[in-house]
Structure formats: structure tokens, C-alpha cells
């Protein structure tokens, strides 16, 4: 009969057997009959056998819908039989040992943690406790614990915290029992309250007994003990206890012992565990001091340098680097004050806000370095970084999203009376102009045909369309509309840096004559050595003397106008080539030495051949037809700066062309950031090697530039320049400090400065040490820009991306939380890059992005005004208002002239919809101005698409909302020390005149029922790639909140997405995926939101253009 029974059991599947056994076990639990312990022991033993031998059984027990775990746990909770308990614990260990954390999570959700803790408490009352039971219980708790976020609280409530600790104390030599107990203590210690409680009971001292003198025995136990200690030391109380007992020195000694004896790198996890303990204990100020006192910086530096050769030891090097950076003593910036070096007295001091706080700061408060135990600056980047895009526009915080529908619904609120708004009527003469006195294309009345484009889609041009069809004719047509085809061909062959019309009233005959003369010259090398050696930096000074300029070998004096700005020169040129004369002919300036040694003689031949090769590929379309050197100087003389700049940067005077090659995003070399950080740490360890010499200082008016030949010379005293101080650290390494925005003590990001006195073949390292943003595209392939005067004299006047070993990281300089306005992030960041110069004694300019000055804008507007065809294009240039410094804020109107002064044509002209554009509210976002420049030139071009746009719309454009900030080298603010793009809700006419009047223009249009069809504010983005837009939508805002979607069940015209969609299909650099239409509370006072909400413009946008490059489309991987 037994044989028959055995054969029948074999025929039953394993699944059926498991179900059968679980059913039997469930019945035993429900019956609770005395003497059933043997049956439970027998059943659990058979289940254990199945679980150990078959993975299918383990899966079935934890599958969805299975009650296997509940039955097992119920049995464990109710049984008192020791063998049954051991069987069940072994079953659960087998189940959770494989299959990842999912099975452990199932056990937690079924209440397993609580049952295990209760069993531990019961078992601990036995004297002595059952060792096998304790081992199994702790083993299971160590596996389940990490999946139960509340296990620390549960352990404390159940009173089992010290059970594991006491087991370790009394069984130190029993490694089989101690190991799982330590694993459970590690889990408990993730709860800070538990860590403190365990610390009071001597757990820290106990851990040091285990990890104590170096020994390669029981390394698995030591590894767990180190992990447990690292978790315990995250508690400040435990960390202080460790410091008081001298354990920081002990940890360093243990690490050095393992470093020396682990020559084959088999125990890297133990070495990393020791470093993790050091990292935890140095989170407090006492720990960092103890680390420094124990010579920890030098020890970790030396050990990490020895590990660099072995790639697998990178985790040790990276952790050592984090510890050293954290323990590097915090220093204040080497400045008398972190407030701007320039002061501007405001007409009104705001009652609140950052400027009011700045004016109310106690003396020298920004000299305080805050090294609190909170150590908010402890976190640092790892070597293999992932892109942290902390832009709030994309990664929304729920508490920042506006959830009040009443606030989200646009409501037209003019805020000013109609009578007051009438002051803006003068800026809209096109609404009343009858054109009776204008010389129109045709004065004969023509049948009126309604413009099909009037209500049609907005036509958005693209670069590809222009180049393939109309670009060249339209671009040249603006500048050379008077020229014959032969003259145009001749003009194209002129040297690149001469392809600029010198005077607005240039005649064709004079152009022919000049072109013929220039075409006889062999190349741009016509600038002789004598000219170049005599050139100096262009400087401006108000003078009543006569202006001089140099013609062909002679000095010509011209009658000076009042207040004209002249250029300083040391001596006249004795030998000037014809090319040199033509370059400066007609100029009202003097030119001194632009380059100390001029064109290097040994490079002349190569340069001549290379420049001629590149020259052949450069057409006039590459050079902006609106740049005029003489006109630029005329514009500069009326530009008012706070420092009263007297110099002009060569790139701004001379202009530039795009480089004749693509500039890909820089591939970052592995380990570069780690190397730079190690070099910074060397400053503390080897202080005698540091020069620490100031070589440029705006704060010291009597400072003189060093004369030594091996020291670089710096300068930033020109429009839009920003460089405050330079300190030579090593022979070829310099720390650079940027100037704060005026009337502010922060916003450091924009830089623009001049460097000279360099040598070739030497890598110069530049560290800009007071940046503030937590991340930058410099970590992801962006390079700074450099303009070489030597290259410009070789017909290559280009801003090019340069620099190697580029990275952006947190440094050891900081400011107090008071000076930071209560901000948590008190540390500064470093941009570091290395440059090897091509030419000896060159003069080079570095910039964060392509500079675009206020004087450049004025020059461009003047040229556009003089070059347009008044019979076809209605162009008007007004002054909207004066800024705080007295500079003019330009307002431009562009549309097409009516076909005639016939009534229907005038009517169509006056009733064209408005498009309102603005740019450059943030001075450091220079790319916004370049996008605006392209917009203006396109709208003024002869392209059929541009003509269609002009005939369909009236464009009101404010190309620079923050002239003062641009002029004075600010990054974000105006002279008021405030971000103007946060003042649109309630602009102050005295402090924010450009915003007050820009909003007034829009309010006036709303008052006369002529709301713009589109408002778009151009910006630049420093942490994201591509071009994208931010708009405003009620529904899309609500979708990002927890508010019920039904609460915003309203009709919303999706037209706000139309323009971004058009751009995504026509512009290769535009990324629809980066666009957002969410309205946030923190952005409620920006132009985009206010124009949408208060003015009522549905299509109100911020257009962001990357400062780096693209990661999609035809421009992918390019800068």
C-alpha cells in the first residue's frame, strides 16, 4: 500500500504538492489541536525541501494571488515549536534570497517585518538564546529590512534595538552570529533616532573594536562593520563622539594600512568602506578640523595619486576627492567686498527686495565665512556625471505651479488710465499716417485685394530656405542695391575684413575705385610689419583737440566736432601700405598698437597661403553688411557707462565673421575634473609652490600692470567687459574673479576680458572662481570663446571656441548665508579651461558667449535705417525712454509701405495685426541679441517671405530692454540691482523705466483694442541645449498638479501651440520637446506671464536659445 501511495505522489505535479502542503498547513493553523506540532513540523519540512530544490515553487509562493506567504507567516506567528520556526525561517530565506527585492517586498507587504521583530523579542528572553534561531532571524531581517522604510521605527517601538547590539557585544568571536547581527544594525542605523540611541549604548566603540588593528582575517565581517559604522556616523551625535575619542586619526591609520598591504587590490571594498566612514564623520565641522589636524589632506592626496594608475580604483580616488574637497577650509573671496566694484546711486531705494537687503547689510557681513555643521555644500559631483538639469521650467515643483484657476484665467487689467496711456500714442504714428507726402511705389489708385496672409499662418523663415533660394540676393541687395552685377562681383572679392561699406552715402564710382585698388593687393598681408607693430589698443578719450587719421603715408587733420571721441596713438606711421590707408581711410580716429609684435615673420608664408585658401571660401554674405568701424566709434562716444570706459575692445570695433569650419561639442576627457580638483588641493598641501600674486585689480585704482615678460596682462575696461581681479597662482595658472552686477553682490556668470603678453607652446590655465549656478553646459561640451587680434590681421576675424580640460565644479570659496540672502547654497563654482595660444605676444579676448554691446546695437540700427528702401519698407526708430544711466532704449517699427495712398491700401496698412518682440532683458544672454539681429535683418531683407511678413504684420520691437546692464558687463540685472524680468507686474518708472514703458506700449494697444497677435521675449539658456519656447496654458498648468482635471473643464484655444509647432517643423535647432506651457508662481512677474494674464495676449512666449549647441537635427553635436 505504501508503494501505491508513493507512485501516486510521483504522478502529482510539484505545483499540486505545494498547494496540497499549504492547505494542510492552513488546516493545522485553524484547528490548533494539541499534538499537531509534529504535523506542522513535517509539513514545513516538506515545503522547505520543495523550496530548496525547485525555483518554480519559490515563484509560486510569491506570485500574485497566492496565499502561500500569508499561510507561512501565520504559522510562524502562532507556532511555538522550535523546529517548525526554524523550518519556516529557512523557507523565507530561500524565497527572498533570489528574485531580487520584489519577493522581499511581498514579505513586507504581508506584515512579515512585524512578525519577525516580535519573534526576535520572544527569542531574546530565552537564556541562553538559541543561536541557530538568532542567526536565521537576523539573516532574514537583513534581507527584508532594506525593503521596509519603517523598519527602524518598528524596531524601536518593539524594543528590539539593543537585542542585536547585545548579541554582538557578548559574541565577538562568534563570527557566524555577529555577521547577520551587524547587517541588521546597519539597517536600523539608517534611522537617525535609532543611530543616536545605539550610539548611547556604545555601538560606535564596538565597531572600532571589530575594524580595529589591520588584519586580513574575517574580511567579510570587517566590510559589514565598516558599512554599519558609516551609517552610524551620519548622526552628528555619533560623529562628535567619534571625534572626541580620536577615531578620525584611527580611521586614517586603518586606511593607510589597508592601502599599503593591499598591493593586489583585492580588498577595495574594505578600503572604500573606511573612506565612507571618514566621509560621514567629516560632515561636521569638528570632524573636518580633526581630519585636517591628522594631516588627512596630504595622506588622502598621496594615496589617491598612487591609485590613479589603476582604473578599477577610481571609486577610491573619487571618494578621496570628495572628502578632500569637503575638508578644504572654506575661504572668502580675496576681495574687499563681494558687492560690485562699481557703485551707482539709485534715485529711489526699494522698500523691500534684494536691493533693500543689500543696502541694509551690516558692514563687512560679506566677509563672514559660514562653516556650519549643516554642511549644505558637502555634496559634490562624481567623475562620471549625469546631466543635472535643475532648470525649474522643465522639472516642476508642485508647490511652485499656480493652481488657482482665477489667477490663471487671463483678465485684461490695464492698471493705468486711458489719459495716462495717451502718452504712448506718439509711438504709433502708423495708425494715423495718411502717406500723402510720401514717395510711394505707386500713387495711382489700384483695385484693393484683401491680403491673403492677413489671417493666415505666420510664415517662419529658415536658414535652409534662405540659402537655397533667396538668401544671397536679399542679403546683398540691402547693402548693394545701387551696385551693378560687375560691382557686386568685385565687392565679393575684397578682403574679408574690408567688406564693410564705410559711408552710408557711398557712390558707385567710389566703390568701383576702392574695389579696383583693393583687388590689386595680393592678400590680407598687405598690412605691413610697420603698421602692425605700431598698432595699439583702441582707446577713447573726450578731447577738444583736432582728430587725426592716417591716409597713405601722411597725417590728415580734420576739424573736430564738439565732444568727439578720439583714439590715442604713440606716434604716426612712417610707412603705410595702400591697404593700410584704405582700411582706415575716411576714419576720424587714431589707431595705436593693436598687437605688440604684429604678424609673426616666421608664420607669414604659412599664414599667407592658409588665409588665401580660406579667403576663397568666404563670401560677402558671411560678413554682416551692417558693421561699420567708424560708425561704431561714433556710437560709443554717446554710450554712458558707470566706470566711464575709455577703451574699445578690438572685436567690437573691427567686427567678426563666422569661422569657416564647424565647431563640434567638445568631448570631455575622462578624469579631467578629478585632475583639476587635485591641483586645487595641492594649493593647501604645497603652499610654498603657490605664487599668489595679484596681476589685475579693479578695486585698486592705483594698481599698475606687471611689466614682467612671463606674466599675462589682463584688461576688462571696455563696454560689456567683466573681469574684476586676477591672481597668478602658478607660473601659467591664474584665478579670475568676476564682478557682481551693479547694486548687487551676486550674479556672476558673464565674462569678457582681454589677455596679452602670452607665449606660444604653453598651456595657460584660467580658473573663474566665483560662478554661482549649480551646473553649466561647460560640463557637457561647451567651450569659451576667444578672439585673436593676430588672426584678425590675417583676415580671420573670428570668435572661435577654444580650451581643453574644461569643467565646472564646486570650489572652496563661499559667502555667508546672510550675504547670500538666506540661500542654502553658499559655495561658489569654478569654470576652468586651458588655452595654448597660437601667436606670441598676441592680444586675445575671451567671452562667455559672442559679445553684443549696446553700441553695436545702435550701429546696426543706424545702418539698417540708412540701407533700407523707404519706398518698400516702413522703418521707424524711436527712443522709448531713457535708462537710469541716461542711455536711450530703442524702439523699432517695421512693416511694408502701402502700395499707394489710396484709401483701401492705407486702411489695410493701418489694420495689420501687431507682432511685439523684445530681447536682452538679461545682459549675459548675448545670444538673444544675435537672434534679434537676425530677426531685424531678415525683416528688412528683400526675401519674398520677409516681404510677405511685412505686408501682413506691423512689428514693434524693443531689441534691448536692459541697455545699462549690457554696457556695464552685468549678467542679469539692471543698475537697480534687480532682475528686470521679475518687475513686469508692478514696474517702478524710476527704477525700471524700460519695463514700465514697454508694458505701457502693450497697455496702450490693449486700450485701443489692438492687442498684439504675438508677444515674444528673446532669452538665452545656460543649462539646456537647442532653441525652445515657454508659453502659457491653463489646462497644461493644471495637468501638472494634483488638482482634479474637472476643475479646469473649460474651453481653451490651442492656438498658443501654433507658433512653436511651426518652428519645430521649419527650424532645425528648435526642439518642441523642450517647450513648456506651464505657469508657475515664481514666474508670475515675468514678461511672458504678465503679457498673457494682464494684457490678454494669448500667444505670449519666452524664446530660449542655447548658449552651447544642439543635441538634435542637422546641428546635432555642434556648438
Amino acid at each position: 500500500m505504501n508503494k501505491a501511495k508513493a507512485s501516486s505522489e510521483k504522478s502529482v505535479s510539484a505545483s499540486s504538492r505545494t498547494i496540497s502542503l499549504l492547505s494542510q498547513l492552513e488546516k493545522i493553523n485553524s484547528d490548533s489541536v494539541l499534538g499537531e506540532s509534529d504535523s506542522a513540523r513535517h509539513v514545513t519540512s516538506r515545503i522547505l525541501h520543495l523550496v530548496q530544490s525547485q525555483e518554480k515553487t519559490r515563484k509560486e509562493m510569491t506570485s500574485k494571488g497566492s496565499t502561500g506567504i500569508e499561510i507561512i507567516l501565520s504559522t510562524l506567528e502562532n507556532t511555538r515549536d522550535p523546529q517548525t520556526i526554524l523550518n519556516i525561517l529557512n523557507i523565507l530565506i530561500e524565497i527572498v534570497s533570489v528574485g531580487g527585492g520584489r519577493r522581499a517586498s511581498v514579505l513586507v507587504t504581508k506584515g512579515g517585518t512585524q512578525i519577525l521583530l516580535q519573534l526576535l523579542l520572544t527569542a531574546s528572553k530565552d537564556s541562553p538564546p538559541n543561536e541557530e534561531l538568532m542567526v536565521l532571524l537576523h539573516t532574514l531581517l537583513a534581507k527584508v529590512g532594506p525593503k521596509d522604510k519603517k523598519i527602524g521605527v518598528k524596531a524601536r517601538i518593539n524594543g528590539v534595538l539593543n537585542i542585536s547590539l547585545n548579541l554582538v557585544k557578548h559574541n565577538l568571536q562568534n563570527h557566524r552570529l555577529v555577521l547577520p547581527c551587524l547587517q541588521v544594525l546597519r539597517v536600523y542605523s539608517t534611522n537617525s533616532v535609532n543611530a543616536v540611541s545605539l550610539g548611547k549604548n556604545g555601538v560606535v566603540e564596538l565597531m572600532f573594536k571589530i575594524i580595529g588593528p589591520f588584519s586580513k582575517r574575517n574580511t567579510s565581517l570587517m566590510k559589514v562593520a565598516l558599512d554599519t559604522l558609516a551609517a552610524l556616523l551620519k548622526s552628528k551625535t555619533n560623529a562628535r563622539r567619534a571625534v572626541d575619542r580620536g577615531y578620525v586619526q584611527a580611521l586614517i591609520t586603518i586606511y593607510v594600512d589597508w592601502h599599503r598591504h593591499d598591493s593586489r587590490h583585492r580588498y577595495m571594498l574594505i578600503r572604500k568602506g573606511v573612506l565612507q566612514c571618514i566621509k560621514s564623520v567629516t560632515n561636521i565641522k569638528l570632524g573636518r578640523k580633526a581630519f585636517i589636524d591628522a594631516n588627512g589632506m596630504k595622506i588622502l592626496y598621496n594615496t589617491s595619486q598612487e591609485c590613479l594608475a589603476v582604473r578599477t580604483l577610481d571609486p577610491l580616488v573619487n571618494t578621496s576627492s570628495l572628502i578632500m574637497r569637503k575638508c578644504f577650509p572654506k575661504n572668502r573671496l580675496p576681495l574687499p567686498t563681494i558687492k560690485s566694484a562699481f557703485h551707482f546711486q539709485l534715485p529711489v531705494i526699494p522698500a523691500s527686495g534684494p536691493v533693500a537687503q543689500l543696502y541694509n547689510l551690516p558692514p563687512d557681513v560679506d566677509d563672514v565665512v559660514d562653516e556650519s555643521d549643516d554642511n549644505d555644500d558637502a555634496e559634490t559631483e562624481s567623475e562620471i556625471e549625469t546631466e543635472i538639469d535643475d532648470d525649474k521650467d522643465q522639472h516642476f515643483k508642485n508647490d511652485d505651479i499656480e493652481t488657482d484657476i482665477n489667477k490663471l484665467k487671463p483678465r485684461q487689467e490695464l492698471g493705468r488710465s486711458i489719459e495716462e496711456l495717451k502718452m504712448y500714442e506718439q509711438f504709433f504714428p502708423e495708425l494715423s499716417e495718411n502717406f500723402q507726402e510720401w514717395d510711394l511705389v505707386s500713387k495711382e489708385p489700384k483695385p484693393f485685394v484683401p491680403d491673403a496672409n492677413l489671417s493666415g499662418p505666420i510664415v517662419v523663415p529658415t536658414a535652409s530656405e534662405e540659402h537655397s533660394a533667396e538668401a544671397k540676393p536679399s542679403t546683398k541687395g540691402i547693402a548693394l542695391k545701387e551696385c551693378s552685377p560687375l560691382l557686386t562681383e568685385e565687392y565679393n572679392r575684397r578682403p574679408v575684413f574690408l567688406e564693410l561699406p564705410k559711408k552710408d552715402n557711398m557712390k558707385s564710382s567710389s566703390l568701383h575705385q576702392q574695389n579696383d585698388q583693393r583687388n590689386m593687393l595680393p592678400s590680407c598681408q598687405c598690412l605691413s610689419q610697420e603698421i602692425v607693430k605700431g598698432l595699439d589698443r583702441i582707446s577713447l578719450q573726450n578731447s577738444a583737440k583736432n582728430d587725426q587719421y592716417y591716409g597713405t603715408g601722411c597725417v590728415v587733420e580734420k576739424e573736430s566736432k564738439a565732444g568727439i571721441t578720439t583714439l590715442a596713438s604713440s606716434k604716426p606711421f612712417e610707412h603705410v601700405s595702400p591697404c593700410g590707408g584704405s582700411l582706415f581711410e575716411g576714419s576720424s580716429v587714431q589707431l595705436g598698437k593693436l598687437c605688440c609684435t604684429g604678424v609673426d615673420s616666421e608664420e607669414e608664408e604659412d599664414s599667407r597661403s592658409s588665409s588665401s585658401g580660406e579667403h576663397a571660401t568666404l563670401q560677402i554674405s558671411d560678413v554682416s553688411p551692417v558693421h561699420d568701424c567708424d560708425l561704431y566709434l561714433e556710437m560709443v562716444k554717446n554710450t554712458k557707462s558707470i566706470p566711464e570706459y575709455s577703451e574699445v575692445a578690438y572685436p567690437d570695433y573691427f567686427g567678426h565673421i563666422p569661422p569657416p569650419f564647424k565647431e563640434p561639442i567638445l568631448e570631455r576627457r575622462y578624469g579631467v575634473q578629478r585632475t583639476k580638483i587635485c591641483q586645487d588641493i595641492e594649493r593647501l598641501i604645497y603652499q610654498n609652490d603657490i605664487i599668489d600674486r595679484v596681476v589685475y585689480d579693479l578695486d585698486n585704482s592705483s594698481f599698475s600692470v606687471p611689466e614682467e615678460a612671463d606674466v599675462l596682462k589682463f584688461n576688462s575696461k571696455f563696454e560689456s567687459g567683466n573681469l574684476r581681479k586676477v591672481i597668478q597662482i602658478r607660473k601659467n595658472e591664474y584665478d579670475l574673479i568676476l564682478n557682481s552686477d551693479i547694486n548687487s553682490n551676486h550674479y556672476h556668470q558673464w565674462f569678457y576680458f582681454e589677455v596679452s603678453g602670452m607665449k606660444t607652446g604653453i598651456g595657460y590655465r584660467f580658473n573663474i572662481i566665483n560662478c554661482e549656478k549649480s551646473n553649466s553646459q561647460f560640463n557637457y561640451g561647451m567651450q569659451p570663446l576667444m578672439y585673436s587680434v593676430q588672426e584678425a590681421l590675417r583676415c580671420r576675424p573670428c570668435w572661435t571656441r577654444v580650451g581643453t580640460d574644461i569643467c565646472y565644479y564646486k570650489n572652496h570659496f563661499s559667502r555667508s548665508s546672510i550675504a547670500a540672502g538666506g540661500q542654502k547654497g553658499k559655495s561658489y563654482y569654478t569654470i576652468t579651461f586651458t588655452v595654448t595660444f597660437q601667436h606670441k605676444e598676441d592680444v586675445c579676448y575671451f567671452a562667455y558667449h559672442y559679445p553684443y554691446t549696446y553700441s553695436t546695437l545702435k550701429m546696426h540700427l543706424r545702418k539698417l535705417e540708412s540701407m533700407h528702401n523707404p519706398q518698400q519698407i516702413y522703418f521707424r526708430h524711436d527712443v522709448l525712454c531713457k535708462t537710469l544711466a541716461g542711455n536711450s532704449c530703442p524702439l523699432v517699427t517695421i512693416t511694408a509701405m502701402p502700395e499707394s495712398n489710396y484709401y483701401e491700401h492705407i486702411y489695410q496698412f493701418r489694420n495689420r495685426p501687431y507682432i511685439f518682440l523684445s530681447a536682452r532683458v538679461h545682459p549675459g544672454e548675448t545670444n538673444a541679441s544675435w537672434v534679434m539681429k537676425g530677426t531685424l535683418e531678415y525683416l528688412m531683407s528683400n526675401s519674398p517671405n520677409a516681404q510677405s511678413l511685412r505686408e501682413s504684420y506691423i512689428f514693434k520691437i524693443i531689441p534691448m530692454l536692459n541697455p545699462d546692464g549690457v554696457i556695464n558687463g552685468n549678467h542679469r540685472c539692471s543698475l537697480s540691482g534687480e532682475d528686470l524680468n521679475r518687475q513686469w507686474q508692478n514696474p517702478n518708472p524710476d527704477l525700471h523705466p524700460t519695463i514700465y514703458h514697454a508694458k505701457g506700449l502693450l497697455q496702450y494697444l490693449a486700450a485701443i483694442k489692438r492687442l498684439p497677435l504675438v508677444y515674444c521675449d528673446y532669452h538665452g539658456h545656460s543649462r539646456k541645449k537647442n532653441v525652445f519656447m515657454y508659453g502659457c496654458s491653463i489646462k497644461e498648468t493644471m495637468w501638472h498638479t494634483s488638482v482634479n482635471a474637472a476643475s479646469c473643464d473649460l474651453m481653451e484655444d490651442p492656438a498658443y501651440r501654433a507658433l512653436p509647432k511651426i518652428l519645430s517643423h521649419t527650424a532645425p535647432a528648435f526642439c518642441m520637446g523642450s517647450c513648456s506651457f506651464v505657469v508657475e508662481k515664481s514666474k508670475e512677474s515675468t514678461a511672458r506671464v504678465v503679457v498673457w494674464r494682464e494684457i490678454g495676449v494669448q500667444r505670449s512666449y519666452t524664446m530660449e536659445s542655447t548658449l552651447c549647441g544642439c543635441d538634435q537635427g542637422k546641428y546635432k553635436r555642434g556648438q
Side-chain angles (χ1 to χ4, degrees), residues 315-333:
L316 302 182
V317 178
N318 292 336
T319 306
S320 297
S321 176
L322 297 181
I323 295 169
M324 289 186 287
R325 292 174 66 186
K326 179 167 54 175
C327 295
F328 201 118
K330 292 290 183 183
N331 295 322
R332 58 175 295 276
L333 287 171

Side-chain angles (χ1 to χ4, degrees), residues 736-747:
L736 284 61
I737 303 176
L738 304 180
N739 194 25
S740 304
D741 286 3
I742 294 176
N743 274 315
S744 169
N745 60 7
H746 54 140
Y747 298 118

Side-chain angles (χ1 to χ4, degrees), residues 807-856:
C807 52
Y808 186 96
Y809 58 89
K810 189 176 293 184
N811 59 36
H812 61 279
F813 292 103
S814 68
R815 54 183 173 160
S816 69
S817 57
I818 300 175
Q823 299 174 14
K824 281 189 175 182
K826 298 178 287 291
S827 283
Y828 288 107
Y829 291 77
T830 292
I831 300 172
T832 181
F833 56 94
T834 301
V835 175
T836 302
F837 296 97
Q838 297 182 17
H839 306 288
K840 180 178 65 175
E841 298 297 332
D842 197 356
V843 176
C844 294
Y845 293 81
F846 289 93
Y848 182 65
H849 198 69
Y850 302 93
Y852 190 102
T853 65
Y854 172 69
S855 299
T856 299

Side-chain angles (χ1 to χ4, degrees), residues 96 104-105 107-108 112-113 116-117 137-152 154 183-184 186-188 190:
V96 300
S105 299
L107 193 59
V108 171
T113 308
L116 292 174
L117 292 173
L137 261 175
H138 282 86
T139 301
L140 188 56
L141 280 169
K143 293 179 180 297
V144 173
K147 294 298 177 182
D148 190 344
K149 294 180 180 179
K150 296 184 178 180
I151 188 171
K154 292 176 182 177
Q183 291 172 334
V184 172
R186 178 179 60 189
V187 174
Y188 291 164
T190 56

Side-chain angles (χ1 to χ4, degrees), residues 765-908:
R765 178 181 171 184
F766 300 96
N767 311 308
I768 300 175
I769 63 173
N770 64 329
C771 298
E772 293 180 60
K773 291 189 176 181
S774 59
N775 207 354
S776 168
Q777 283 294 318
F778 283 114
N779 272 335
Y780 310 108
M782 180 173 162
Q783 296 172 279
L785 286 152
M786 187 184 82
Y787 186 104
S788 165
V789 174
Q790 285 276 13
E791 286 292 297
L793 296 175
R794 288 172 168 79
C795 295
R796 296 186 289 270
C798 303
W799 281 101
T800 55
R801 300 280 185 176
V802 298
T804 56
D805 295 348
I806 301 173
C807 52
Y808 186 96
Y809 58 89
K810 189 176 293 184
N811 59 36
H812 61 279
F813 292 103
S814 68
R815 54 183 173 160
S816 69
S817 57
I818 300 175
Q823 299 174 14
K824 281 189 175 182
K826 298 178 287 291
S827 283
Y828 288 107
Y829 291 77
T830 292
I831 300 172
T832 181
F833 56 94
T834 301
V835 175
T836 302
F837 296 97
Q838 297 182 17
H839 306 288
K840 180 178 65 175
E841 298 297 332
D842 197 356
V843 176
C844 294
Y845 293 81
F846 289 93
Y848 182 65
H849 198 69
Y850 302 93
Y852 190 102
T853 65
Y854 172 69
S855 299
T856 299
L857 171 66
K858 292 195 295 182
M859 173 192 68
H860 285 166
L861 293 179
R862 179 75 66 85
K863 293 297 290 184
L864 285 174
E865 186 172 11
S866 66
M867 288 158 46
H868 82 283
N869 183 348
Q871 289 187 326
Q872 296 181 356
I873 301 175
Y874 180 95
F875 179 93
R876 184 179 175 88
H877 177 194
D878 295 300
V879 175
L880 176 63
C881 62
K882 291 290 185 179
T883 65
L884 291 178
N887 294 292
S888 300
C889 179
L891 171 66
V892 175
T893 306
I894 300 175
T895 189
M897 293 292 287
E899 289 188 37
S900 71
N901 54 14
Y902 191 61
Y903 171 76
E904 282 82 358
H905 292 143
I906 301 298
Y907 179 84
Q908 190 272 347

